[in-house]
Amino acid sequence: MMKKIILIAGAILSLMSHSALSEVAVKRSTSIQWLHAVSANRPAEPDTQGLSRVYVNDSSSWGATNCRADAADIQNGDSAILELLKIAISSNSIVTIEVDDSLPTRHGVCKITAVWIK
């Protein structure tokens, strides 16, 4: 019985520590340098399939995350966000981008979860 309690307590602490380590960060007042869209079928790099990489002009950090500073990824299925990013790049608008480092990354590039355009 004691072993079960210890295992359950360990699992709860593990989940709590993971959520304490993850960070949602916002990068404000940046513009889009360029977009790199990847097809849904890219045999050369299958883990990039269906993503678009957004490169930003601001190289400051994404807050307290371990995210790569100059870029963030977006799922191509997130059409509303992609549309705003296209508008931002074509009009050289300032955007605010939210990333979440608890989501899977590729080479330290975090996923975009929200975008605002000014």
Side-chain angles (χ1 to χ4, degrees):
M1 181 66 159
M2 184 57 113
K3 286 183 181 182
K4 286 183 183 180
I5 292 172
I6 292 172
L7 285 174
I8 291 171
I12 291 171
L13 286 174
S14 175
L15 288 173
M16 288 172 57
S17 67
H18 175 70
S19 64
L21 295 175
S22 65
E23 177 82 18
V24 173
V26 175
K27 179 176 276 196
R28 297 196 180 276
S29 301
T30 190
S31 57
I32 307 300
Q33 185 176 17
W34 52 288
L35 297 173
H36 176 208
V38 176
S39 167
N41 184 15
R42 187 180 192 198
E45 292 189 59
D47 59 336
T48 66
Q49 292 178 166
L51 293 177
S52 287
R53 179 146 301 165
V54 179
Y55 291 90
V56 296
N57 285 317
D58 178 4
S59 62
S60 62
S61 72
W62 296 93
T65 69
N66 292 319
C67 302
R68 188 170 128 187
D70 68 329
D73 287 339
I74 184 70
Q75 294 292 138
N76 288 341
D78 289 333
S79 58
I81 292 175
L82 279 173
E83 199 57 41
L84 276 179
L85 292 170
K86 289 179 204 174
I87 292 168
I89 198 167
S90 66
S91 64
N92 200 28
S93 296
I94 301 299
V95 294
T96 300
I97 299 173
E98 177 185 275
V99 297
D100 186 335
D101 74 350
S102 70
L103 299 172
T105 64
R106 183 174 191 286
H107 301 296
V109 178
C110 290
K111 297 272 186 347
I112 295 173
T113 54
V115 170
W116 298 261
I117 188 170
K118 295 181 183 183

